[in-house]
Amino acid sequence: MGPTDGRFKLFFSYRRMMKDLVLGFLREGWLHGLDLATLEMVPSTFITRRFRQRHGDCLWRARFDGPDGTSTDFYLLVEFQSKPDRYMPLRLLGYEALLLERLVRRQELAAGGDLPPVVALVVPSGKRHWNVPRELRTQFAPVPEEAARLLPSLSYLLIDRTLLETGALDPQDNLAAVFFRIEEARSPEDLLSLARPLHRMLPAKSEPELRRAFTDLLVDTFQTAFPGVTIPPIEDLEDMSMLEENMIRWRNKVIREARKEGLKEGRQEGIKEGRQEGKVDGMRSFVLGLMEQRFGPLSPTVRRKVDKISSAEQLQDLGNRLLTAGSLSDLGLGG
């Protein structure tokens, strides 16, 4: 499990997060029978017949009211995956089989001996398009229909994070949505703007552990994305205003230093090549200096791309966008 998957597992071990994930990102009609007030996390480590351990990511149980009026346990098996996996249904089938075997062995079944329903839920922790089959039965070699119906079958639900892109889900009301917004933030303003809804949704004394986890996530994400900003000691979401002040000071410093260097080189070039060309070269130096302050040493490929820009207006636009870009790729300068 990578660090990103571990972070997802940590946050979705909180009942509030799991509840918001189900309410905000799943659209299945049968969900109305799931009593989310009864959600509880259960162990997701399974012991095989040869006493080997298999570890799932998260396993949740809730009461489910069936169409016949009876209630039963309902299990949500949650897996976090950084990149598409064609054989994810096979892995989930193994987890589900081990879970059901455990319930049978411990005699934790309903009075009639019926197996409880188990639904697998995959939460992508990366940004790659999920373009692999989600049904196990479709991955077998072709056989006649009478044989195909005997093959094992498993399908899973996939969290649709495009709901965030279309605006169908408001992060003001859903903690899972806020978490995904932090993961996908592309500017310091994006990150800092999320502290306010978090402060409202997580009152200091109601869920202190989850509030602290979100505070640490915001600070860690900010430090990783913007290493030039000094991070003051931040103990709570209320302290995020100090980080905003430091970001403003850092940005002003970067602009002053890059502009000073750009004007210096621009004057030198202006003497050699003429006023207009010197102005463009000065702005180019300013932008390159700003990029190095923002993203560190630049590759020759990136420098060549900037060198090809001969318009002062284009360079100025690039400099303006650079201050809020999350990466060189956001500027069309990847490489």
Side-chain angles (χ1 to χ4, degrees), residues 81-86 128-132:
Q81 184 68 21
S82 59
K83 59 183 179 181
D85 182 357
R86 176 182 176 181
R128 292 176 57 181
H129 176 61
W130 201 268
N131 56 356
V132 294

Side-chain angles (χ1 to χ4, degrees), residues 5 79-92 122-134 139 156 158-159 161:
D5 293 345
E79 286 292 306
F80 308 108
Q81 184 68 21
S82 59
K83 59 183 179 181
D85 182 357
R86 176 182 176 181
Y87 300 108
M88 177 62 75
L90 185 60
R91 188 204 312 179
L92 295 170
V122 173
V123 183
S125 58
K127 299 181 180 180
R128 292 176 57 181
H129 176 61
W130 201 268
N131 56 356
V132 294
R134 289 159 53 185
Q139 299 189 44
Y156 58 87
L158 184 71
I159 289 298
R161 285 162 66 176

Side-chain angles (χ1 to χ4, degrees), residues 13-303:
S13 66
Y14 289 96
R15 193 173 73 87
R16 172 83 177 275
M17 290 290 294
M18 190 62 201
K19 181 180 178 181
D20 280 5
L21 183 71
V22 171
L23 290 175
F25 290 86
L26 299 183
R27 297 292 183 263
E28 279 63 32
W30 51 262
L31 284 170
H32 73 275
L34 195 62
D35 185 358
L36 294 177
T38 65
L39 264 179
E40 59 177 342
M41 198 173 183
V42 294
S44 58
T45 296
F46 309 102
I47 307 298
T48 69
R49 292 185 181 275
R50 296 188 177 183
F51 301 100
R52 294 179 179 176
Q53 289 189 342
R54 293 282 304 278
H55 301 279
D57 285 344
C58 289
L59 181 62
W60 290 86
R61 178 175 60 203
R63 189 177 70 246
F64 184 80
D65 297 322
D68 61 353
T70 61
S71 295
T72 184
D73 285 341
F74 189 104
Y75 290 85
L76 282 171
L77 178 65
V78 188
E79 286 292 306
F80 308 108
Q81 184 68 21
S82 59
K83 59 183 179 181
D85 182 357
R86 176 182 176 181
Y87 300 108
M88 177 62 75
L90 185 60
R91 188 204 312 179
L92 295 170
L93 180 65
Y95 289 148
E96 289 197 11
L98 290 171
L99 168 62
L100 294 173
E101 284 182 0
R102 183 173 75 188
L103 296 175
V104 170
R105 186 171 61 252
R106 296 180 179 180
Q107 298 182 352
E108 297 177 358
L109 304 178
D114 290 339
L115 297 173
V118 183
V119 170
L121 176 62
V122 173
V123 183
S125 58
K127 299 181 180 180
R128 292 176 57 181
H129 176 61
W130 201 268
N131 56 356
V132 294
R134 289 159 53 185
E135 168 57 59
L136 177 61
R137 185 168 291 180
T138 64
Q139 299 189 44
F140 288 94
V143 293
E145 179 59 30
E146 58 269 26
R149 66 183 178 85
L150 301 175
L151 298 175
S153 176
L154 184 137
S155 185
Y156 58 87
L157 296 174
L158 184 71
I159 289 298
D160 184 8
R161 285 162 66 176
T162 61
L163 292 173
L164 295 175
E165 300 172 5
T166 61
L169 192 61
D170 186 356
Q172 298 286 333
D173 301 317
N174 190 289
L175 282 177
V178 175
F179 176 79
F180 292 136
R181 292 281 191 196
I182 293 174
E183 290 289 317
E184 298 172 1
R186 309 184 74 155
S187 73
E189 288 82 4
D190 288 344
L191 281 173
L192 292 172
S193 69
L194 295 170
R196 288 184 288 275
L198 281 172
H199 180 56
R200 177 182 59 80
M201 288 189 288
L202 290 170
K205 295 183 179 181
S206 63
E207 296 177 88
E209 289 187 8
L210 185 53
R211 182 181 171 101
R212 179 66 202 183
F214 267 109
T215 301
D216 292 342
L217 177 63
L218 279 171
V219 173
D220 291 345
T221 304
F222 204 103
Q223 183 67 81
T224 300
F226 311 101
V229 182
T230 300
I231 304 294
I234 293 179
E235 299 296 330
D236 189 72
L237 291 170
E238 290 182 327
D239 301 330
M240 293 301 293
S241 59
M242 293 188 296
L243 185 54
E244 187 170 9
E245 294 171 1
N246 280 34
M247 185 200 72
I248 293 173
R249 286 196 291 269
W250 168 77
R251 178 175 291 176
N252 291 337
K253 177 184 177 182
V254 169
I255 291 175
R256 286 196 304 270
E257 292 179 352
R259 181 176 292 147
K260 181 179 179 181
E261 184 64 24
L263 289 174
K264 177 182 177 181
E265 295 192 18
R267 283 196 297 269
Q268 294 173 348
E269 294 295 329
I271 295 173
K272 297 178 182 178
E273 306 294 341
R275 291 178 180 268
Q276 183 59 31
E277 186 175 347
K279 177 182 177 182
V280 172
D281 288 337
M283 291 189 67
R284 184 181 295 110
S285 297
F286 163 69
V287 169
L288 287 170
L290 196 61
M291 290 169 68
E292 288 188 327
Q293 288 277 350
R294 182 72 172 75
F295 300 113
L298 304 176
S299 69
T301 301
V302 171
R303 287 187 171 276

Side-chain angles (χ1 to χ4, degrees), residues 309-328:
I309 301 176
S310 58
S311 164
E313 290 75 15
Q314 290 178 336
L315 288 167
Q316 183 175 358
D317 176 68
L318 180 61
N320 291 336
R321 291 188 293 119
L322 175 61
L323 291 175
T324 57
S327 66
L328 291 172

